[in-house]
Amino acid sequence: MKITGVRVFVTRPTGLNYVVIKILTDEGVYGVGEGSLNGNEIVVARYLEHIKELLIGHDPHNIEDLWHLIYRSGYWRSGPVFKAALSAIDFALWDIKGKVANLPVYQLLGGASRKAVKVYGHAGGRDAKEIEDSVRSFLERGFKIVRCQSGDYGGSGRLDYEPPIRDGVPGTAIFEPAGYLLETPRNFEHLRNALGMEVELCHDVHEQLTPTEAAWLAKQLEPYRLFFLEDPVMPEEREGLRQIRQSCTTNIAIGELFTDRDECMMLFQERLIDYIRIAPLHVGGITEARKIMVLAEPFSVKSAFHGAADLGPISQAAALHLQMVIPNFGVQEWTDFSSSETLCELFPTPCKLVDGYAHPGGAPGLGIDFNEELAKKFPYQSTYMPIVRRSDGTMHRY
Ligand code: CO
């Protein structure tokens, strides 16, 4: 079997751009992959056009070797654009292997370790009561874990944050740490009084704090037993997580901006985190995400894979297949693509969410397809991530 071609697409069906590839073979079987990288989709697509020639003529079954062919051949390696492109290729190769074997990818990875993958949803509101109502709506729909945000990220005045990508010029949000630091523990006190201690709740700081501020917040939140506190500091300041560890026992999650295993290793070895939030889409596909989860295993670090709306349905399918298998699974962040008819038509999938658990389905390969004819109706449009400033106009750390 030989790779005969790679087709690259960028499509914007719902206000977000998705980078999709199809790897074609001489036997008619093709694989689908995804390389979306919010705000930089066109750069990944251009890079895929550049490197795709390297794959032509190779046997698509040799995933490990082809991964290293792409990784090593350019001399310059890694970084988000490179890793998103490599992930797209990796996903498509696993899809081909599964289709040829007539087995879902999770079977090729070792088989199911669980009945399905537990996911968490995003609740939010302008005040504690609105957040409570939003959490209740998720619990009623069967979710077992819910993320609780005031004004989405960073508390008061930041309700305009999501969706994170805007047309044309980037939107601007205002953040002040003092209000956020005081408001967040008050919100969780309300939620625990209203909902009890048993329900699993998490919170995303979205890297807005210094290590000292983050340690203070984690300590205030300790009595409310968070499932995890996400991204309390920027990845560049991850050594600051030591300060949080010394202050309290709040579970810590980080990693959605990581693209390499190197960024994870110190955090594992020093036991500074409880959940690693990599996405297979941004670290080098199923192949590399699996290795990172093996490295995490002896340090009791579990997966909490990144799954915001800008990581599309193919990436979500790949994450589900891997998390069906790994022993140190924690939770999957969930975006409900099935609520969009357009997305269901563009990315037909057997994936189902039932009672807070997602299953990738039993179809061969990744189980998901891509309708390239329909995609032509939804062309690329440039978008930019929002900017965060302090109230005096100074650019904030994020
Ligand atoms: Co996050």
Side-chain angles (χ1 to χ4, degrees):
M1 195 174 197
K2 280 188 169 50
I3 295 171
T4 53
V6 180
R7 288 200 207 130
V8 183
F9 312 87
V10 186
T11 183
R12 191 178 190 272
T14 56
L16 292 163
N17 290 302
Y18 296 118
V19 180
V20 176
I21 67 165
K22 273 189 179 176
I23 295 185
L24 314 173
T25 67
D26 59 350
E27 292 181 24
V29 180
Y30 65 87
V32 296
E34 179 182 348
S36 306
L37 185 68
N38 52 12
N40 295 282
E41 302 85 2
I42 208 70
V43 190
V44 179
R46 185 71 192 85
Y47 187 63
L48 277 162
E49 293 287 357
H50 169 65
I51 56 172
K52 70 183 192 184
E53 294 303 319
L54 294 172
L55 298 168
I56 306 299
H58 283 279
D59 183 343
H61 284 297
N62 302 335
I63 299 176
E64 188 71 29
D65 181 64
L66 291 176
W67 195 100
H68 284 276
L69 170 75
I70 300 296
Y71 189 71
R72 307 282 169 196
S73 64
Y75 184 63
W76 303 105
R77 53 188 175 263
S78 206
V81 172
F82 178 90
K83 277 299 186 69
L86 179 54
S87 301
I89 293 165
D90 184 78
F91 290 159
L93 294 175
W94 278 106
D95 191 32
I96 291 171
K97 192 183 271 297
K99 283 173 175 167
V100 172
N102 199 29
L103 287 170
V105 167
Y106 73 83
Q107 293 289 10
L108 304 178
L109 296 171
S113 296
R114 51 197 54 82
K115 61 174 185 173
V117 174
K118 199 190 285 184
V119 305
Y120 74 87
H122 295 180
R126 282 166 301 186
D127 57 34
K129 183 67 182 116
E130 272 191 22
I131 302 169
E132 179 200 333
D133 293 343
S134 177
V135 172
R136 284 189 194 280
S137 79
F138 278 92
L139 298 176
E140 279 158 21
R141 278 179 279 159
F143 282 83
K144 307 291 182 276
I145 305 178
V146 186
R147 191 187 78 171
C148 310
Q149 304 296 121
S150 163
D152 286 319
Y153 295 115
S156 310
R158 300 210 48 212
L159 262 180
D160 61 343
Y161 189 87
E162 279 187 334
I165 298 173
R166 296 278 168 82
D167 297 340
V169 291
T172 302
I174 305 295
F175 179 81
E176 284 296 333
Y180 168 71
L181 286 169
L182 295 170
E183 180 184 35
T184 306
R186 282 204 292 262
N187 287 337
F188 275 92
E189 184 183 20
H190 173 92
L191 291 172
R192 283 309 185 194
N193 287 335
L195 303 164
M197 283 300 287
E198 265 184 51
V199 55
E200 299 288 9
L201 305 175
C202 54
H203 178 71
D204 186 359
V205 178
H206 218 254
E207 310 157 30
Q208 305 288 4
L209 300 176
T210 65
T212 305
E213 291 166 341
W216 188 87
L217 179 66
K219 200 170 159 185
Q220 307 306 309
L221 293 174
E222 192 175 30
Y224 309 120
R225 200 187 69 78
L226 263 58
F227 187 81
F228 58 63
L229 184 66
E230 175 185 340
D231 287 344
V233 296
M234 299 189 297
E236 302 93 305
E237 285 195 326
R238 58 192 179 278
E239 297 197 5
L241 293 174
R242 290 185 189 124
Q243 209 174 329
I244 301 179
R245 276 303 210 227
Q246 285 154 13
S247 311
C248 65
T249 57
T250 294
N251 286 317
I252 301 299
I254 199 168
E256 68 180 59
L257 281 171
F258 293 178
T259 56
D260 267 303
R261 64 175 82 170
D262 301 1
E263 293 161 291
C264 306
M265 287 305 293
M266 181 274 284
L267 303 180
F268 295 164
Q269 286 169 319
E270 288 195 31
R271 297 179 184 273
L272 296 183
I273 59 170
D274 302 281
Y275 294 89
I276 182 74
R277 283 197 31 80
I278 53 165
L281 168 58
H282 294 139
V283 295
I286 290 170
T287 300
E288 180 66 5
R290 181 173 208 188
K291 291 175 186 176
I292 291 173
M293 291 317 300
V294 171
L295 292 167
E297 211 182 312
F299 304 102
S300 298
V301 176
K302 293 181 179 178
S303 64
F305 287 171
H306 187 208
D310 50 290
L311 291 75
I314 296 173
S315 152
Q316 186 182 70
L320 290 179
H321 280 280
L322 180 56
Q323 289 185 119
M324 283 294 289
V325 180
I326 54 172
N328 47 340
F329 163 69
V331 70
Q332 167 70 44
E333 183 180 21
W334 190 249
T335 297
D336 180 17
F337 296 117
S338 71
S339 59
S340 157
E341 257 177 60
T342 302
L343 284 178
C344 291
E345 249 186 278
L346 194 58
F347 298 100
T349 170
C351 172
K352 275 199 174 58
L353 180 73
V354 179
D355 202 25
Y357 289 84
H359 195 291
L366 293 175
I368 192 164
D369 207 351
F370 175 64
N371 184 338
E372 55 179 281
E373 274 311 303
L374 183 61
K376 289 179 187 156
K377 282 195 196 166
F378 308 108
Y380 168 77
Q381 279 181 45
S382 66
T383 51
Y384 298 90
M385 296 293 282
I387 285 165
V388 182
R389 292 184 187 274
R390 301 292 280 268
S391 44
D392 69 353
T394 306
M395 191 72 76
H396 190 52
R397 46 200 299 108
Y398 167 68

